[in-house]
Amino acid sequence: MAAISAAAPYQAQDRDLNNRALVRGWLYLVLLVLFALVLVGGATRLTESGLSITEWQPIHGVIPPLNDAEWQEEFLRYQQIPQYTELNKGMSIEAFKSIFWWEWAHRLLARSVGLVFAVPLLVFWVTRRIERGLGPKLVGILFLGGLQGAIGWWMVASGLVDRVSVSQYRLATHLTLAALIFTATMVVARGLAPHSEPAADRSTQRLAGLIVLLALIQIYLGGLVAGLDAGLSYNTWPLMDGKIIPGDLLILEPAWRNFFESPKTVQFVHRLGAYTVFAVALWHMIATRRLLPGSTHARRATLLFALVLVQASIGIGTLLMHVPLHMALTHQGFALIVLGFAAAHWRGTKGAYPLPNQIALKS
């Protein structure tokens, strides 16, 4: 009897670790679907396909047009919006189908990620595999996913009446919330992973967290660039319009509008954001290697800087090549890789979540 009592805490710990492995694997699957969703969303934007479906039908919209009559009906709805009347008048139905499928795939993936998240969450909750303290985090991510769906339609609606494209404000919000959901999912997944070393010092943790914040801000700025097609002009580097600091950055009144509505200013600020992420990641690598030489934290900081360097190179290449589709998608996808690794690294500097039965094992 005494032997059974002594073994009970170890059995509880094994159960907790097994549950964590299952939940972590599920969250990694969610991350893969989220990554695909953001990439398809980027392709939808770059191919000007986002306004091809003019109604929000969360259930019925899963089924695409199945015959010529339904395609004509869908095309007729598209012909009523400014994007068609001002930009695409005379478009053939075959050309319409090519943009329709991008937007339909994007919406289908968005619905799919909701199911991939919500159904396993319910199963894990019913089977008591969600440990105490983890439930609010997961429910919070689910709530953000639902909010993202509403913001997606809010974004599309901005281009259906008075504009030929969606609002850059709403596009940047939609993209940034997707990045925030991706970040939160990664942080929770890595918090459930075993870590080989203790937590890093507070200064290392703070600097790692700052890089995550800067990456999110840079993605927001990238959304503004995409919404304004700001990458299609001033395609030189390191000079912009022939200067390190170009002129006419504050020509709109009031001045704050330039940072959101002037393609030139928005592109310049996005460049400054990239330089800032690069500098902070470099400093973080140097500082971590000095403070914690040979540690996992130092190795992750070094890899993070390498990823930032690659992303900067992709961004410069995308600009110099006048934003071809494949380069723009690579730039967007790699931004998510940098953000995801930064989030994982930040969680790694803090260590894993305490096991529910950890205190019992120590006593």
Side-chain angles (χ1 to χ4, degrees):
M1 183 66 70
I4 294 175
S5 298
Y10 294 97
Q11 292 172 350
Q13 184 190 43
D14 287 342
R15 183 180 63 251
D16 292 338
L17 290 172
N18 288 335
N19 288 341
R20 283 191 168 190
L22 286 172
V23 174
R24 191 169 68 249
W26 158 58
L27 291 177
Y28 287 151
L29 175 62
V30 171
L31 286 169
L32 284 175
V33 181
L34 284 170
F35 184 82
L37 177 60
V38 172
L39 276 188
V40 172
T44 301
R45 171 67 189 93
L46 289 163
T47 57
E48 302 289 348
S49 303
L51 298 177
S52 58
I53 302 178
T54 60
E55 295 181 346
W56 190 29
Q57 298 173 324
I59 305 301
H60 178 68
V62 174
I63 303 172
L66 299 177
N67 54 53
D68 289 343
E70 290 180 1
W71 274 115
Q72 288 292 346
E73 182 181 351
E74 198 73 46
F75 190 30
L76 183 60
R77 282 195 286 265
Y78 177 67
Q79 290 174 326
Q80 309 307 309
I81 69 172
Q83 187 181 79
Y84 176 83
T85 58
E86 297 181 30
L87 293 182
N88 294 330
K89 193 158 188 167
M91 169 188 273
S92 69
I93 193 165
E94 292 305 318
F96 169 72
K97 288 178 181 180
S98 69
I99 64 172
F100 175 92
W101 285 120
W102 276 117
E103 174 64 5
W104 181 82
H106 183 53
R107 296 192 185 195
L108 182 65
L109 270 174
R111 294 177 175 97
S112 299
V113 76
L115 289 175
V116 169
F117 195 94
V119 174
L121 174 60
L122 178 61
V123 171
F124 286 139
W125 207 303
V126 169
T127 57
R128 299 175 183 254
R129 295 182 185 276
I130 304 296
E131 62 192 54
R132 184 177 301 172
L134 187 60
K137 295 180 176 69
L138 296 174
V139 171
I141 294 172
L142 183 62
F143 170 78
L144 289 178
L147 179 63
Q148 176 71 330
I151 287 178
W153 174 247
W154 176 64
M155 176 190 69
V156 170
S158 69
L160 298 180
V161 179
D162 300 318
R163 300 171 57 101
V164 297
S165 61
V166 300
S167 161
Q168 73 274 19
Y169 292 97
R170 300 187 189 190
L171 174 66
T173 300
H174 188 54
L175 176 61
T176 306
L177 184 55
L180 183 61
I181 293 169
F182 189 85
T183 300
T185 305
M186 178 65 80
V187 168
V188 173
R190 295 311 299 163
L192 295 173
H195 293 268
S196 58
E197 292 188 13
D201 59 283
R202 285 295 181 88
S203 63
T204 300
Q205 292 180 24
R206 284 195 291 267
L207 203 49
L210 176 61
I211 294 173
V212 176
L213 177 61
L214 290 174
L216 283 168
I217 293 172
Q218 184 66 350
I219 285 173
Y220 176 80
L221 294 173
L224 292 178
V225 169
L228 291 169
D229 290 323
L232 298 177
S233 55
Y234 309 107
N235 298 96
T236 59
W237 186 87
L239 301 182
M240 180 177 174
D241 200 17
K243 300 176 183 178
I244 294 295
I245 302 177
D248 298 326
L249 292 175
L250 299 175
I251 61 174
L252 299 180
E253 294 291 343
W256 65 264
R257 288 179 54 209
N258 292 277
F259 297 94
F260 301 93
E261 299 177 17
S262 166
K264 188 176 190 178
T265 307
V266 166
Q267 190 196 123
F268 181 65
V269 172
H270 188 54
R271 292 187 185 207
L272 293 181
Y275 300 149
T276 302
V277 173
F278 180 88
V280 174
L282 175 60
W283 174 247
H284 177 58
M285 178 186 71
I286 294 171
T288 307
R289 290 173 72 92
R290 284 178 176 174
L291 283 171
L292 304 166
S295 67
T296 302
H297 305 302
R299 288 191 291 272
R300 281 198 313 267
T302 302
L303 180 54
L304 177 57
F305 174 71
L307 292 174
V308 169
L309 182 61
V310 171
Q311 172 67 347
S313 301
I314 295 171
I316 293 168
T318 302
L319 183 70
L320 296 179
M321 296 172 67
H322 294 257
V323 198
L325 178 61
H326 69 284
M327 286 295 292
L329 286 179
T330 301
H331 187 49
Q332 181 166 313
F334 211 83
L336 213 56
I337 291 173
V338 171
L339 175 65
F341 189 84
H345 171 57
W346 173 61
R347 184 63 244 182
T349 63
K350 298 166 71 69
Y353 298 136
L355 283 165
N357 292 286
Q358 198 167 5
I359 295 177
L361 288 171
K362 289 181 178 179
S363 61

